[in-house]
Amino acid sequence: MFTPQGPSLRELTVQALSSVEHGYDLLATKFDATPFRTSDRLLAAVADTLEGLGPFDSGLDVCCGTGAGLGVLRSVCAGRIAGVDFSTGMLARARGAHPTADLVRADALALPFASAFDLAVSFGAFGHFLPDDQRALFAQVHGALRPGGTFAFPLPAPPPVGSRLYWTLWGFDAAMRVRNAVWRPPFVMYYRTFRLADVRARLEHAGFDVTLVPVEPLGRREDGSPRCRLVVARKGSG
Ligand SMILES: C[S@@+](CC[C@H](N)C(=O)[O-])C[C@H]1O[C@@H](n2cnc3c(N)ncnc32)[C@H](O)[C@@H]1O
């Protein structure tokens, strides 16, 4: 973030005082140099895990940003790949990096696809959706998938209570709540609104059957549990 290639503190502040959509338009040219872009290590580990769940034909990256997940789709899908995002600036970057992907500007809460994809993925964007919007988002993805289609995304294990990361995320969310109480437009981005039990219930409510697959390339914690799971939500084939 504070590298010569990344945004300055001033640029990040201006972004955080904007709407989500405009904020990403402002950040787009420097986004790939920030820690908000999903890391290549995580992308490779997810692609590796998805290999065992295919084959997949067409694929959709929901909230694709500059296209981090499009490379994953390219490696596991035999057919058409597409990305959807509401930031024009982020889509322009994705278009440059993935010229053969279909890139569509739309709100993920109103996806312009019906039964069109075999696989949907999403990386790093769920914090932009409050719990009610997560339900709506999952229903939209369900509608965009063909019967038998799969919605898959990584869910890292939560940091241990009291750890440094725990307090960092807690502090970030608290700061965003204060910011959103006193400033318009809101910038919805919270790290602690996406817990496994809630996510599972919201996916099932949208009509998915949910299983969890360890993302083994990312290793295990001291207690033997995976550092990261792939949430695999399947749409019934009926
Ligand atoms: C943190 S970035 C993640 C981008 C990319 N998936 C990655 O992992 O690097 C979040 C992205 O979600 C998009 N986004 C947030 N809310 C959205 C919505 N309601 N509809 C479409 N895109 C949305 C933003 O424009 C931004 O590009």
Side-chain angles (χ1 to χ4, degrees), residues 20-21 24 31-32 36-38 43 61-69 84-87 90 106-109 122-125 128-129 189:
V20 175
E21 179 184 340
Y24 278 105
F31 179 78
D32 286 348
F36 307 122
R37 192 245 189 212
T38 298
L43 295 168
D61 183 8
V62 179
C63 300
C64 64
T66 54
V84 63
D85 200 287
F86 66 8
S87 162
M90 297 291 269
D107 190 331
L109 297 176
S122 192
F123 296 91
H128 293 304
F129 298 87
M189 177 65 217

Side-chain angles (χ1 to χ4, degrees), residues 53 96 104 114 126 137 168 183 206 236:
L53 304 175
V104 178
F126 294 118
L137 174 68
T168 303
W183 195 266

Side-chain angles (χ1 to χ4, degrees), residues 170-180:
W170 190 96
F172 181 93
D173 283 9
M176 288 309 273
R177 286 190 196 285
V178 172
R179 179 255 183 244
N180 286 329

